[in-house]
Amino acid sequence: MEIYSPVQYVTYKDFSFYLKRDDLIDPYISGNKWRKLKWILIDAKHKQKSHLVTFGGTYSNHLVATAAAAARHKLKATGFVRGEEVTNELLMLCKLYGMKLIFVNREAYKNKTDLFSFYFAGDEGAYFIDEGGAGALAVKGCAEIIDELPAMFDHLFCAAGTGTTCAGLLKGINAKKLDTQLHLISVLKGGDFFSEYIEEHLPNLNQLHVHTAYHFGGYAKTSEELLKFIADFAMRTGILLDPVYTGKMIFALYDLFKKKFFDQHDKICALHTGGLLGVFGMKDKLDAILR
Ligand SMILES: *Cc1c(COP(=O)(O)O)cnc(C)c1O
């Protein structure tokens, strides 16, 4: 399938860089979630599965992406949602696309394979997709991003939640023997585990740089400084970032630029992994700073 994901030259204040616009692939099967689902969907069809079953939090881009992808491929979809039953913009989209939602408490949510077998043991057509789409097929899909980039970049930046997308990017970089340095921006506290996780997927971590100082307090935590940066970036470039992933990543990129981390002639690219529905998870806080 043809996709639209151009590499754009972006100028923000005194800093210019390239941005790979995976956010433009699809509004709801967005960014890296599209990349991850691509080979998962091919595998599900190959195995003649009819029902995608997956997992996510209440503001999960992955749940929305899976719901939309399932509908487009004429598959059923069930999403296990962590926590008490609630509703919001993202879960509403899941339901619009026909996904059945099952809310489970945090304890039960921890064991995803148990949940899957408990509910769907008798369903031959059910296909298990891990939270966030994580797995080898997802890595394979994300590696393809590298094939679409001009080979000239000295640095590539990407936000990391599980690190699956970065594992794919590094795989692509290694496969093409590029000199590009990959910068992983951890959006969660204690991101030191990423190297180990990525090493499970591929052995050569020489070109990986893990940045752990830009989590803003932890996963989905934020600060006024970050939200103001996101608003300023949108106003000056016309490009939206989300507060959970890409906002932290571009904040880190600009911060490193200001700290003279790069050489003057370095060619820098960032991957926009989409996920823009994430702004709805912080609409009150965003509203407050936009007053
Ligand atoms: C899910 C998501 C990520 C995290 O990707 P991982 O492969 O889990 O590291 C990054 N950016 C956006 C916008 C996402 O929705």
Side-chain angles (χ1 to χ4, degrees), residues 1 34-49 52 73 75 127 137 140-141 144:
M1 195 180 28
W34 190 94
R35 301 285 182 180
K36 291 177 179 192
L37 283 169
K38 178 182 166 181
W39 288 99
I40 290 173
L41 287 163
I42 290 169
D43 187 53
K45 287 206 160 171
H46 180 71
K47 293 177 175 151
Q48 303 195 320
K49 301 293 183 179
L52 306 182
H73 290 265
L75 303 168
Y127 184 87
L137 291 171
K140 178 178 176 175
E144 293 176 349

Side-chain angles (χ1 to χ4, degrees), residues 32-33 36 61 132 159-166 194 242 245-246 273-275:
N32 63 345
K33 303 306 183 282
K36 291 177 179 192
N61 291 314
T162 64
T164 306
T165 307
C166 284
F194 279 116
D242 79 283
Y245 296 105
T246 54
T273 40

Side-chain angles (χ1 to χ4, degrees), residues 33 54-65 79-84 86-92 94 99 101-104 106 109 112 130-133 219-220 245:
K33 303 306 183 282
T54 195
F55 308 83
T58 50
Y59 279 94
S60 165
N61 291 314
H62 166 70
L63 280 183
V64 177
F80 286 98
V81 188
R82 182 180 58 232
E84 303 248 303
V86 288
T87 189
N88 63 36
E89 294 84 352
L90 281 78
L91 295 174
M92 196 245 341
C94 289
M99 178 180 257
L101 299 179
I102 302 175
F103 291 83
V104 292
R106 277 155 200 280
Y109 186 85
K112 299 182 180 64
D130 207 346
E131 184 176 41
Y219 182 74
Y245 296 105

Side-chain angles (χ1 to χ4, degrees), residues 88-235:
N88 63 36
E89 294 84 352
L90 281 78
L91 295 174
M92 196 245 341
L93 286 167
C94 289
K95 288 184 270 189
L96 263 181
Y97 281 120
M99 178 180 257
K100 185 176 171 228
L101 299 179
I102 302 175
F103 291 83
V104 292
N105 67 43
R106 277 155 200 280
E107 211 32 55
Y109 186 85
K110 278 182 194 155
N111 203 329
K112 299 182 180 64
T113 44
D114 276 2
L115 277 175
F116 181 77
S117 21
F118 180 77
Y119 280 85
F120 300 109
D123 183 349
E124 282 277 308
Y127 184 87
F128 177 94
I129 304 175
D130 207 346
E131 184 176 41
L137 291 171
V139 171
K140 178 178 176 175
C142 293
E144 293 176 349
I145 295 167
I146 298 297
D147 301 329
E148 297 169 21
L149 290 179
M152 60 179 186
F153 293 114
D154 301 297
H155 303 280
L156 176 60
F157 276 73
C158 180
T162 64
T164 306
T165 307
C166 284
L169 294 174
L170 198 59
K171 189 174 180 177
I173 287 170
N174 287 347
K176 288 186 88 176
K177 300 196 172 17
L178 301 179
D179 291 327
T180 310
Q181 304 296 311
L182 178 67
H183 296 269
L184 177 161
I185 307 299
S186 171
V187 304
L188 18 107
K189 216 187 264 183
D192 295 312
F193 72 90
F194 279 116
S195 300
E196 256 170 66
Y197 171 78
I198 291 175
E199 211 164 16
E200 287 171 23
H201 289 278
L202 66 168
N204 178 3
L205 302 185
N206 294 340
Q207 284 156 259
L208 175 70
H209 306 268
V210 177
H211 298 266
T212 56
Y214 297 100
H215 57 71
F216 291 86
Y219 182 74
K221 297 285 194 297
T222 192
S223 75
E224 195 173 309
E225 187 187 21
L226 177 64
L227 297 178
K228 283 193 165 146
F229 173 78
I230 288 169
D232 193 55
F233 191 85
M235 182 188 73

